[in-house]
mmCIF file of all heavy atoms in Angstrom:
data_model
loop_
_atom_site.group_PDB
_atom_site.id
_atom_site.type_symbol
_atom_site.label_atom_id
_atom_site.label_comp_id
_atom_site.label_asym_id
_atom_site.label_seq_id
_atom_site.Cartn_x
_atom_site.Cartn_y
_atom_site.Cartn_z
ATOM 1 N N MET A 1 0.843 -1.175 0.000
ATOM 2 C CA MET A 1 0.031 0.012 -0.014
ATOM 3 C C MET A 1 0.900 1.240 -0.018
ATOM 4 O O MET A 1 1.904 1.284 0.630
ATOM 5 C CB MET A 1 -0.933 -0.060 1.259
ATOM 6 C CG MET A 1 -1.821 1.129 1.385
ATOM 7 S SD MET A 1 -3.065 0.895 2.608
ATOM 8 C CE MET A 1 -4.078 2.254 2.355
ATOM 9 N N ARG A 2 0.455 2.252 -0.757
ATOM 10 C CA ARG A 2 1.164 3.507 -0.795
ATOM 11 C C ARG A 2 0.475 4.552 0.105
ATOM 12 O O ARG A 2 -0.670 4.642 0.158
ATOM 13 C CB ARG A 2 1.255 4.045 -2.198
ATOM 14 C CG ARG A 2 2.096 3.141 -3.140
ATOM 15 C CD ARG A 2 2.353 3.719 -4.471
ATOM 16 N NE ARG A 2 3.061 4.961 -4.485
ATOM 17 C CZ ARG A 2 4.401 5.055 -4.360
ATOM 18 N NH1 ARG A 2 5.109 3.978 -4.227
ATOM 19 N NH2 ARG A 2 4.999 6.257 -4.417
ATOM 20 N N TYR A 3 1.332 5.282 0.779
ATOM 21 C CA TYR A 3 0.776 6.351 1.715
ATOM 22 C C TYR A 3 1.159 7.717 1.180
ATOM 23 O O TYR A 3 2.008 7.833 0.271
ATOM 24 C CB TYR A 3 1.338 6.139 3.103
ATOM 25 C CG TYR A 3 0.824 4.866 3.743
ATOM 26 C CD1 TYR A 3 1.464 3.659 3.609
ATOM 27 C CD2 TYR A 3 -0.378 4.912 4.440
ATOM 28 C CE1 TYR A 3 0.952 2.507 4.223
ATOM 29 C CE2 TYR A 3 -0.910 3.715 5.022
ATOM 30 C CZ TYR A 3 -0.249 2.519 4.850
ATOM 31 O OH TYR A 3 -0.748 1.382 5.416
ATOM 32 N N ASN A 4 0.664 8.741 1.717
ATOM 33 C CA ASN A 4 0.888 10.088 1.324
ATOM 34 C C ASN A 4 2.117 10.697 2.016
ATOM 35 O O ASN A 4 2.021 11.759 2.699
ATOM 36 C CB ASN A 4 -0.334 10.988 1.601
ATOM 37 C CG ASN A 4 -1.494 10.555 0.757
ATOM 38 O OD1 ASN A 4 -1.316 10.211 -0.374
ATOM 39 N ND2 ASN A 4 -2.696 10.657 1.250
ATOM 40 N N GLY A 5 3.240 10.114 1.996
ATOM 41 C CA GLY A 5 4.486 10.612 2.575
ATOM 42 C C GLY A 5 4.891 9.766 3.822
ATOM 43 O O GLY A 5 4.127 8.942 4.300
ATOM 44 N N ILE A 6 6.044 10.070 4.303
ATOM 45 C CA ILE A 6 6.627 9.333 5.416
ATOM 46 C C ILE A 6 5.827 9.466 6.686
ATOM 47 O O ILE A 6 5.617 8.482 7.419
ATOM 48 C CB ILE A 6 8.083 9.729 5.565
ATOM 49 C CG1 ILE A 6 8.735 8.697 6.509
ATOM 50 C CG2 ILE A 6 8.262 11.120 6.133
ATOM 51 C CD1 ILE A 6 10.252 8.785 6.455
ATOM 52 N N CYS A 7 5.316 10.599 6.975
ATOM 53 C CA CYS A 7 4.503 10.773 8.234
ATOM 54 C C CYS A 7 3.291 9.909 8.196
ATOM 55 O O CYS A 7 2.956 9.223 9.213
ATOM 56 C CB CYS A 7 4.094 12.276 8.392
ATOM 57 S SG CYS A 7 5.479 13.369 8.763
ATOM 58 N N ASP A 8 2.584 9.957 7.110
ATOM 59 C CA ASP A 8 1.350 9.107 6.958
ATOM 60 C C ASP A 8 1.736 7.579 7.056
ATOM 61 O O ASP A 8 1.033 6.786 7.695
ATOM 62 C CB ASP A 8 0.609 9.415 5.644
ATOM 63 C CG ASP A 8 -0.746 8.792 5.558
ATOM 64 O OD1 ASP A 8 -1.404 8.593 6.566
ATOM 65 O OD2 ASP A 8 -1.174 8.453 4.420
ATOM 66 N N LEU A 9 2.830 7.199 6.372
ATOM 67 C CA LEU A 9 3.309 5.884 6.382
ATOM 68 C C LEU A 9 3.544 5.406 7.821
ATOM 69 O O LEU A 9 3.052 4.316 8.284
ATOM 70 C CB LEU A 9 4.566 5.768 5.586
ATOM 71 C CG LEU A 9 5.302 4.439 5.636
ATOM 72 C CD1 LEU A 9 4.480 3.317 5.061
ATOM 73 C CD2 LEU A 9 6.643 4.527 4.849
ATOM 74 N N VAL A 10 4.352 6.164 8.592
ATOM 75 C CA VAL A 10 4.739 5.770 9.922
ATOM 76 C C VAL A 10 3.527 5.764 10.887
ATOM 77 O O VAL A 10 3.455 4.898 11.725
ATOM 78 C CB VAL A 10 5.880 6.642 10.397
ATOM 79 C CG1 VAL A 10 6.178 6.425 11.905
ATOM 80 C CG2 VAL A 10 7.201 6.438 9.607
ATOM 81 N N GLU A 11 2.584 6.606 10.719
ATOM 82 C CA GLU A 11 1.400 6.690 11.546
ATOM 83 C C GLU A 11 0.383 5.536 11.247
ATOM 84 O O GLU A 11 -0.227 5.068 12.086
ATOM 85 C CB GLU A 11 0.675 8.017 11.336
ATOM 86 C CG GLU A 11 1.439 9.172 11.946
ATOM 87 C CD GLU A 11 0.781 10.512 11.696
ATOM 88 O OE1 GLU A 11 -0.337 10.574 11.118
ATOM 89 O OE2 GLU A 11 1.431 11.542 11.984
ATOM 90 N N SER A 12 0.399 5.129 9.939
ATOM 91 C CA SER A 12 -0.706 4.182 9.555
ATOM 92 C C SER A 12 -0.216 2.720 9.413
ATOM 93 O O SER A 12 -1.095 1.844 9.429
ATOM 94 C CB SER A 12 -1.228 4.682 8.237
ATOM 95 O OG SER A 12 -1.767 5.970 8.327
ATOM 96 N N ASP A 13 1.061 2.492 9.191
ATOM 97 C CA ASP A 13 1.535 1.118 8.946
ATOM 98 C C ASP A 13 2.320 0.681 10.131
ATOM 99 O O ASP A 13 3.343 1.246 10.406
ATOM 100 C CB ASP A 13 2.336 1.135 7.649
ATOM 101 C CG ASP A 13 2.878 -0.285 7.266
ATOM 102 O OD1 ASP A 13 3.599 -0.885 8.045
ATOM 103 O OD2 ASP A 13 2.447 -0.728 6.213
ATOM 104 N N GLU A 14 1.862 -0.356 10.758
ATOM 105 C CA GLU A 14 2.505 -0.838 12.037
ATOM 106 C C GLU A 14 3.891 -1.289 11.797
ATOM 107 O O GLU A 14 4.828 -0.998 12.560
ATOM 108 C CB GLU A 14 1.652 -1.927 12.676
ATOM 109 C CG GLU A 14 2.042 -2.217 14.109
ATOM 110 C CD GLU A 14 1.911 -1.026 15.070
ATOM 111 O OE1 GLU A 14 0.995 -0.212 14.958
ATOM 112 O OE2 GLU A 14 2.743 -0.889 15.998
ATOM 113 N N GLN A 15 4.207 -2.041 10.699
ATOM 114 C CA GLN A 15 5.489 -2.471 10.412
ATOM 115 C C GLN A 15 6.476 -1.302 10.136
ATOM 116 O O GLN A 15 7.574 -1.328 10.579
ATOM 117 C CB GLN A 15 5.514 -3.359 9.153
ATOM 118 C CG GLN A 15 5.004 -4.797 9.456
ATOM 119 C CD GLN A 15 5.168 -5.685 8.255
ATOM 120 O OE1 GLN A 15 4.555 -5.364 7.218
ATOM 121 N NE2 GLN A 15 5.917 -6.737 8.387
ATOM 122 N N ALA A 16 5.977 -0.292 9.387
ATOM 123 C CA ALA A 16 6.788 0.838 9.116
ATOM 124 C C ALA A 16 7.077 1.629 10.413
ATOM 125 O O ALA A 16 8.196 2.049 10.582
ATOM 126 C CB ALA A 16 6.082 1.766 8.163
ATOM 127 N N LYS A 17 6.109 1.711 11.303
ATOM 128 C CA LYS A 17 6.255 2.410 12.589
ATOM 129 C C LYS A 17 7.343 1.660 13.381
ATOM 130 O O LYS A 17 8.261 2.331 13.937
ATOM 131 C CB LYS A 17 4.968 2.398 13.330
ATOM 132 C CG LYS A 17 5.110 3.121 14.701
ATOM 133 C CD LYS A 17 3.904 3.005 15.530
ATOM 134 C CE LYS A 17 2.751 3.805 14.979
ATOM 135 N NZ LYS A 17 1.538 3.880 15.863
ATOM 136 N N GLU A 18 7.265 0.399 13.460
ATOM 137 C CA GLU A 18 8.247 -0.406 14.253
ATOM 138 C C GLU A 18 9.653 -0.261 13.648
ATOM 139 O O GLU A 18 10.642 -0.070 14.350
ATOM 140 C CB GLU A 18 7.840 -1.843 14.271
ATOM 141 C CG GLU A 18 6.679 -2.147 15.157
ATOM 142 C CD GLU A 18 6.249 -3.655 15.161
ATOM 143 O OE1 GLU A 18 7.109 -4.470 14.841
ATOM 144 O OE2 GLU A 18 5.108 -3.933 15.481
ATOM 145 N N TYR A 19 9.768 -0.327 12.349
ATOM 146 C CA TYR A 19 11.079 -0.245 11.728
ATOM 147 C C TYR A 19 11.620 1.213 11.955
ATOM 148 O O TYR A 19 12.823 1.369 12.299
ATOM 149 C CB TYR A 19 10.918 -0.482 10.200
ATOM 150 C CG TYR A 19 12.235 -0.290 9.488
ATOM 151 C CD1 TYR A 19 13.231 -1.219 9.558
ATOM 152 C CD2 TYR A 19 12.463 0.837 8.721
ATOM 153 C CE1 TYR A 19 14.441 -1.094 8.932
ATOM 154 C CE2 TYR A 19 13.645 1.076 8.095
ATOM 155 C CZ TYR A 19 14.638 0.069 8.240
ATOM 156 O OH TYR A 19 15.934 0.271 7.556
ATOM 157 N N PHE A 20 10.838 2.213 11.743
ATOM 158 C CA PHE A 20 11.234 3.635 11.892
ATOM 159 C C PHE A 20 11.762 3.815 13.296
ATOM 160 O O PHE A 20 12.869 4.393 13.507
ATOM 161 C CB PHE A 20 10.074 4.561 11.649
ATOM 162 C CG PHE A 20 10.440 5.997 11.731
ATOM 163 C CD1 PHE A 20 11.085 6.625 10.720
ATOM 164 C CD2 PHE A 20 10.130 6.672 12.899
ATOM 165 C CE1 PHE A 20 11.402 7.976 10.807
ATOM 166 C CE2 PHE A 20 10.409 8.022 12.998
ATOM 167 C CZ PHE A 20 11.090 8.688 11.980
ATOM 168 N N HIS A 21 11.046 3.288 14.337
ATOM 169 C CA HIS A 21 11.436 3.518 15.709
ATOM 170 C C HIS A 21 12.655 2.663 16.101
ATOM 171 O O HIS A 21 13.283 2.976 17.118
ATOM 172 C CB HIS A 21 10.261 3.307 16.610
ATOM 173 C CG HIS A 21 9.228 4.401 16.565
ATOM 174 N ND1 HIS A 21 9.482 5.699 16.953
ATOM 175 C CD2 HIS A 21 8.048 4.406 16.053
ATOM 176 C CE1 HIS A 21 8.458 6.428 16.732
ATOM 177 N NE2 HIS A 21 7.492 5.646 16.137
ATOM 178 N N SER A 22 13.013 1.724 15.242
ATOM 179 C CA SER A 22 14.227 0.896 15.563
ATOM 180 C C SER A 22 15.445 1.664 15.060
ATOM 181 O O SER A 22 16.584 1.234 15.373
ATOM 182 C CB SER A 22 14.129 -0.483 14.831
ATOM 183 O OG SER A 22 14.312 -0.330 13.485
ATOM 184 N N LEU A 23 15.364 2.697 14.276
ATOM 185 C CA LEU A 23 16.437 3.436 13.749
ATOM 186 C C LEU A 23 16.966 4.414 14.794
ATOM 187 O O LEU A 23 16.229 4.859 15.586
ATOM 188 C CB LEU A 23 16.011 4.223 12.483
ATOM 189 C CG LEU A 23 15.525 3.285 11.348
ATOM 190 C CD1 LEU A 23 14.838 4.161 10.248
ATOM 191 C CD2 LEU A 23 16.617 2.426 10.748
ATOM 192 N N SER A 24 18.195 4.910 14.609
ATOM 193 C CA SER A 24 18.726 5.878 15.459
ATOM 194 C C SER A 24 18.038 7.223 15.277
ATOM 195 O O SER A 24 17.433 7.495 14.226
ATOM 196 C CB SER A 24 20.285 6.096 15.171
ATOM 197 O OG SER A 24 20.465 6.759 13.979
ATOM 198 N N ASN A 25 18.116 8.022 16.240
ATOM 199 C CA ASN A 25 17.449 9.422 16.255
ATOM 200 C C ASN A 25 17.968 10.144 15.008
ATOM 201 O O ASN A 25 17.185 10.896 14.392
ATOM 202 C CB ASN A 25 17.637 10.170 17.528
ATOM 203 C CG ASN A 25 16.778 9.689 18.625
ATOM 204 O OD1 ASN A 25 15.738 8.988 18.363
ATOM 205 N ND2 ASN A 25 17.206 9.888 19.894
ATOM 206 N N ASP A 26 19.252 10.123 14.733
ATOM 207 C CA ASP A 26 19.803 10.838 13.615
ATOM 208 C C ASP A 26 19.213 10.481 12.256
ATOM 209 O O ASP A 26 18.864 11.289 11.455
ATOM 210 C CB ASP A 26 21.374 10.701 13.597
ATOM 211 C CG ASP A 26 22.077 11.437 14.711
ATOM 212 O OD1 ASP A 26 21.478 12.296 15.299
ATOM 213 O OD2 ASP A 26 23.209 11.080 14.923
ATOM 214 N N ILE A 27 19.099 9.171 12.044
ATOM 215 C CA ILE A 27 18.471 8.630 10.875
ATOM 216 C C ILE A 27 17.050 8.992 10.841
ATOM 217 O O ILE A 27 16.556 9.428 9.776
ATOM 218 C CB ILE A 27 18.724 7.068 10.768
ATOM 219 C CG1 ILE A 27 20.194 6.787 10.554
ATOM 220 C CG2 ILE A 27 17.913 6.546 9.574
ATOM 221 C CD1 ILE A 27 20.592 5.400 10.435
ATOM 222 N N GLN A 28 16.294 8.852 11.936
ATOM 223 C CA GLN A 28 14.892 9.274 11.927
ATOM 224 C C GLN A 28 14.742 10.688 11.495
ATOM 225 O O GLN A 28 13.875 11.050 10.715
ATOM 226 C CB GLN A 28 14.297 9.056 13.376
ATOM 227 C CG GLN A 28 14.090 7.587 13.740
ATOM 228 C CD GLN A 28 13.493 7.503 15.118
ATOM 229 O OE1 GLN A 28 12.909 8.411 15.682
ATOM 230 N NE2 GLN A 28 13.656 6.318 15.682
ATOM 231 N N GLN A 29 15.518 11.590 12.088
ATOM 232 C CA GLN A 29 15.434 13.037 11.775
ATOM 233 C C GLN A 29 15.721 13.273 10.302
ATOM 234 O O GLN A 29 15.061 14.117 9.655
ATOM 235 C CB GLN A 29 16.379 13.807 12.670
ATOM 236 C CG GLN A 29 15.938 13.869 14.089
ATOM 237 C CD GLN A 29 16.930 14.624 14.976
ATOM 238 O OE1 GLN A 29 18.050 14.983 14.580
ATOM 239 N NE2 GLN A 29 16.556 14.776 16.259
ATOM 240 N N SER A 30 16.763 12.657 9.761
ATOM 241 C CA SER A 30 17.081 12.766 8.338
ATOM 242 C C SER A 30 15.955 12.261 7.454
ATOM 243 O O SER A 30 15.634 12.912 6.451
ATOM 244 C CB SER A 30 18.362 12.067 8.056
ATOM 245 O OG SER A 30 18.762 12.287 6.727
ATOM 246 N N LEU A 31 15.393 11.191 7.867
ATOM 247 C CA LEU A 31 14.219 10.617 7.098
ATOM 248 C C LEU A 31 13.054 11.559 7.042
ATOM 249 O O LEU A 31 12.457 11.836 6.013
ATOM 250 C CB LEU A 31 13.798 9.238 7.557
ATOM 251 C CG LEU A 31 14.784 8.159 7.368
ATOM 252 C CD1 LEU A 31 14.348 6.892 8.141
ATOM 253 C CD2 LEU A 31 14.861 7.763 5.857
ATOM 254 N N MET A 32 12.767 12.089 8.229
ATOM 255 C CA MET A 32 11.635 13.006 8.355
ATOM 256 C C MET A 32 11.889 14.308 7.524
ATOM 257 O O MET A 32 10.980 14.869 6.910
ATOM 258 C CB MET A 32 11.300 13.382 9.786
ATOM 259 C CG MET A 32 10.763 12.160 10.563
ATOM 260 S SD MET A 32 9.317 11.390 9.779
ATOM 261 C CE MET A 32 8.030 12.250 10.598
ATOM 262 N N ALA A 33 13.121 14.830 7.541
ATOM 263 C CA ALA A 33 13.491 16.041 6.860
ATOM 264 C C ALA A 33 13.528 15.877 5.354
ATOM 265 O O ALA A 33 13.243 16.796 4.611
ATOM 266 C CB ALA A 33 14.794 16.610 7.377
ATOM 267 N N ASN A 34 13.904 14.643 4.870
ATOM 268 C CA ASN A 34 14.196 14.518 3.464
ATOM 269 C C ASN A 34 13.363 13.412 2.802
ATOM 270 O O ASN A 34 13.573 13.126 1.630
ATOM 271 C CB ASN A 34 15.710 14.179 3.272
ATOM 272 C CG ASN A 34 16.567 15.219 3.809
ATOM 273 O OD1 ASN A 34 16.494 16.344 3.428
ATOM 274 N ND2 ASN A 34 17.377 14.841 4.797
ATOM 275 N N GLY A 35 12.458 12.764 3.568
ATOM 276 C CA GLY A 35 11.718 11.640 3.025
ATOM 277 C C GLY A 35 10.306 11.906 2.523
ATOM 278 O O GLY A 35 9.473 11.052 2.635
ATOM 279 N N ALA A 36 10.094 13.061 2.005
ATOM 280 C CA ALA A 36 8.718 13.376 1.520
ATOM 281 C C ALA A 36 8.215 12.453 0.484
ATOM 282 O O ALA A 36 7.021 12.174 0.424
ATOM 283 C CB ALA A 36 8.699 14.823 1.001
ATOM 284 N N GLY A 37 9.088 11.857 -0.361
ATOM 285 C CA GLY A 37 8.686 10.937 -1.361
ATOM 286 C C GLY A 37 8.615 9.440 -0.913
ATOM 287 O O GLY A 37 8.448 8.654 -1.720
ATOM 288 N N VAL A 38 8.793 9.261 0.356
ATOM 289 C CA VAL A 38 8.797 7.895 0.932
ATOM 290 C C VAL A 38 7.366 7.516 1.228
ATOM 291 O O VAL A 38 6.762 8.046 2.124
ATOM 292 C CB VAL A 38 9.739 7.725 2.172
ATOM 293 C CG1 VAL A 38 9.651 6.359 2.746
ATOM 294 C CG2 VAL A 38 11.173 8.086 1.843
ATOM 295 N N ASN A 39 6.846 6.498 0.457
ATOM 296 C CA ASN A 39 5.459 6.218 0.539
ATOM 297 C C ASN A 39 5.116 4.721 0.917
ATOM 298 O O ASN A 39 3.969 4.407 1.058
ATOM 299 C CB ASN A 39 4.693 6.526 -0.750
ATOM 300 C CG ASN A 39 4.871 8.000 -1.132
ATOM 301 O OD1 ASN A 39 4.517 8.907 -0.368
ATOM 302 N ND2 ASN A 39 5.457 8.284 -2.329
ATOM 303 N N THR A 40 6.161 3.892 0.980
ATOM 304 C CA THR A 40 5.976 2.491 1.306
ATOM 305 C C THR A 40 7.031 2.047 2.237
ATOM 306 O O THR A 40 8.071 2.659 2.380
ATOM 307 C CB THR A 40 6.086 1.561 -0.004
ATOM 308 O OG1 THR A 40 7.415 1.657 -0.538
ATOM 309 C CG2 THR A 40 5.082 2.037 -1.081
ATOM 310 N N LEU A 41 6.800 0.874 2.876
ATOM 311 C CA LEU A 41 7.802 0.319 3.787
ATOM 312 C C LEU A 41 9.156 0.046 3.028
ATOM 313 O O LEU A 41 10.214 0.243 3.583
ATOM 314 C CB LEU A 41 7.284 -0.936 4.456
ATOM 315 C CG LEU A 41 8.166 -1.695 5.376
ATOM 316 C CD1 LEU A 41 8.730 -0.804 6.518
ATOM 317 C CD2 LEU A 41 7.498 -2.940 5.959
ATOM 318 N N GLU A 42 9.006 -0.504 1.869
ATOM 319 C CA GLU A 42 10.193 -0.805 1.075
ATOM 320 C C GLU A 42 11.001 0.494 0.735
ATOM 321 O O GLU A 42 12.240 0.478 0.907
ATOM 322 C CB GLU A 42 9.859 -1.480 -0.204
ATOM 323 C CG GLU A 42 11.015 -1.847 -1.099
ATOM 324 C CD GLU A 42 10.641 -2.652 -2.316
ATOM 325 O OE1 GLU A 42 9.491 -3.065 -2.445
ATOM 326 O OE2 GLU A 42 11.533 -2.777 -3.163
ATOM 327 N N GLU A 43 10.326 1.520 0.394
ATOM 328 C CA GLU A 43 10.993 2.765 0.140
ATOM 329 C C GLU A 43 11.677 3.329 1.470
ATOM 330 O O GLU A 43 12.726 3.897 1.443
ATOM 331 C CB GLU A 43 10.020 3.852 -0.381
ATOM 332 C CG GLU A 43 9.582 3.559 -1.781
ATOM 333 C CD GLU A 43 8.533 4.508 -2.292
ATOM 334 O OE1 GLU A 43 7.911 5.296 -1.538
ATOM 335 O OE2 GLU A 43 8.177 4.398 -3.492
ATOM 336 N N LEU A 44 10.941 3.184 2.569
ATOM 337 C CA LEU A 44 11.533 3.602 3.847
ATOM 338 C C LEU A 44 12.807 2.848 4.208
ATOM 339 O O LEU A 44 13.858 3.444 4.517
ATOM 340 C CB LEU A 44 10.477 3.380 4.952
ATOM 341 C CG LEU A 44 10.978 3.628 6.422
ATOM 342 C CD1 LEU A 44 11.267 5.066 6.611
ATOM 343 C CD2 LEU A 44 9.844 3.212 7.383
ATOM 344 N N LYS A 45 12.834 1.507 3.990
ATOM 345 C CA LYS A 45 14.034 0.716 4.238
ATOM 346 C C LYS A 45 15.184 1.157 3.243
ATOM 347 O O LYS A 45 16.293 1.264 3.661
ATOM 348 C CB LYS A 45 13.702 -0.667 4.066
ATOM 349 C CG LYS A 45 12.861 -1.263 5.238
ATOM 350 C CD LYS A 45 12.572 -2.747 5.070
ATOM 351 C CE LYS A 45 11.791 -3.292 6.217
ATOM 352 N NZ LYS A 45 11.463 -4.725 6.131
ATOM 353 N N ASN A 46 14.800 1.331 2.023
ATOM 354 C CA ASN A 46 15.870 1.792 1.033
ATOM 355 C C ASN A 46 16.479 3.121 1.365
ATOM 356 O O ASN A 46 17.614 3.253 1.349
ATOM 357 C CB ASN A 46 15.199 1.754 -0.391
ATOM 358 C CG ASN A 46 14.950 0.375 -0.864
ATOM 359 O OD1 ASN A 46 15.468 -0.619 -0.406
ATOM 360 N ND2 ASN A 46 14.079 0.330 -1.912
ATOM 361 N N PHE A 47 15.543 4.070 1.698
ATOM 362 C CA PHE A 47 16.054 5.412 2.025
ATOM 363 C C PHE A 47 16.846 5.397 3.303
ATOM 364 O O PHE A 47 17.907 6.078 3.386
ATOM 365 C CB PHE A 47 14.912 6.338 2.127
ATOM 366 C CG PHE A 47 15.294 7.855 2.085
ATOM 367 C CD1 PHE A 47 16.123 8.328 1.138
ATOM 368 C CD2 PHE A 47 14.867 8.667 3.050
ATOM 369 C CE1 PHE A 47 16.490 9.628 1.098
ATOM 370 C CE2 PHE A 47 15.218 10.015 3.095
ATOM 371 C CZ PHE A 47 16.084 10.494 2.107
ATOM 372 N N ALA A 48 16.492 4.603 4.246
ATOM 373 C CA ALA A 48 17.240 4.522 5.553
ATOM 374 C C ALA A 48 18.619 3.982 5.255
ATOM 375 O O ALA A 48 19.588 4.464 5.868
ATOM 376 C CB ALA A 48 16.500 3.631 6.511
ATOM 377 N N GLU A 49 18.751 3.032 4.338
ATOM 378 C CA GLU A 49 20.017 2.477 3.970
ATOM 379 C C GLU A 49 20.870 3.512 3.309
ATOM 380 O O GLU A 49 22.033 3.625 3.562
ATOM 381 C CB GLU A 49 19.895 1.290 3.060
ATOM 382 C CG GLU A 49 21.150 0.500 2.786
ATOM 383 C CD GLU A 49 21.852 0.046 4.089
ATOM 384 O OE1 GLU A 49 21.143 -0.363 5.044
ATOM 385 O OE2 GLU A 49 23.089 0.058 4.093
ATOM 386 N N VAL A 50 20.337 4.310 2.436
ATOM 387 C CA VAL A 50 21.057 5.491 1.812
ATOM 388 C C VAL A 50 21.563 6.456 2.844
ATOM 389 O O VAL A 50 22.698 6.864 2.844
ATOM 390 C CB VAL A 50 20.150 6.189 0.756
ATOM 391 C CG1 VAL A 50 20.753 7.455 0.273
ATOM 392 C CG2 VAL A 50 19.853 5.247 -0.362
ATOM 393 N N VAL A 51 20.729 6.769 3.828
ATOM 394 C CA VAL A 51 21.105 7.728 4.864
ATOM 395 C C VAL A 51 22.265 7.073 5.683
ATOM 396 O O VAL A 51 23.230 7.860 6.114
ATOM 397 C CB VAL A 51 19.903 8.087 5.768
ATOM 398 C CG1 VAL A 51 20.348 8.871 6.935
ATOM 399 C CG2 VAL A 51 18.872 8.880 4.960
ATOM 400 N N ARG A 52 22.155 5.814 6.070
ATOM 401 C CA ARG A 52 23.216 5.184 6.852
ATOM 402 C C ARG A 52 24.521 5.257 6.100
ATOM 403 O O ARG A 52 25.572 5.495 6.752
ATOM 404 C CB ARG A 52 22.879 3.673 7.054
ATOM 405 C CG ARG A 52 22.075 3.413 8.210
ATOM 406 C CD ARG A 52 22.082 1.870 8.539
ATOM 407 N NE ARG A 52 21.018 1.606 9.357
ATOM 408 C CZ ARG A 52 19.924 0.924 8.967
ATOM 409 N NH1 ARG A 52 19.776 0.493 7.760
ATOM 410 N NH2 ARG A 52 18.878 0.732 9.798
ATOM 411 N N ARG A 53 24.581 5.043 4.817
ATOM 412 C CA ARG A 53 25.767 5.091 4.049
ATOM 413 C C ARG A 53 26.446 6.478 4.027
ATOM 414 O O ARG A 53 27.636 6.568 3.858
ATOM 415 C CB ARG A 53 25.538 4.628 2.619
ATOM 416 C CG ARG A 53 25.249 3.129 2.503
ATOM 417 C CD ARG A 53 24.993 2.695 1.112
ATOM 418 N NE ARG A 53 24.521 1.406 0.971
ATOM 419 C CZ ARG A 53 23.789 0.902 0.014
ATOM 420 N NH1 ARG A 53 23.539 1.681 -1.031
ATOM 421 N NH2 ARG A 53 23.403 -0.344 -0.009
ATOM 422 N N GLN A 54 25.611 7.519 4.158
ATOM 423 C CA GLN A 54 26.173 8.871 4.133
ATOM 424 C C GLN A 54 26.821 9.234 5.445
ATOM 425 O O GLN A 54 27.596 10.210 5.528
ATOM 426 C CB GLN A 54 25.056 9.861 3.753
ATOM 427 C CG GLN A 54 24.586 9.632 2.330
ATOM 428 C CD GLN A 54 23.428 10.594 2.031
ATOM 429 O OE1 GLN A 54 22.847 11.261 2.901
ATOM 430 N NE2 GLN A 54 23.075 10.701 0.765
ATOM 431 N N ASP A 55 26.431 8.538 6.514
ATOM 432 C CA ASP A 55 27.042 8.923 7.871
ATOM 433 C C ASP A 55 28.501 8.381 7.955
ATOM 434 O O ASP A 55 28.994 7.485 7.445
ATOM 435 C CB ASP A 55 26.203 8.231 8.971
ATOM 436 C CG ASP A 55 24.883 9.014 9.128
ATOM 437 O OD1 ASP A 55 24.845 10.189 8.627
ATOM 438 O OD2 ASP A 55 24.054 8.564 9.904
#
């Protein structure tokens, strides 16, 4: 299922919420600031991996 951005995804999808909260605060903040186009759990995981590589 596709959501209307990362906030909607994390609020509405339990798996996405659990995954998001398992990430470090720095990664969470970066995702929230730059993840407007993140609409699925798979996109969330992929974007989190990109953010991790940049640290």
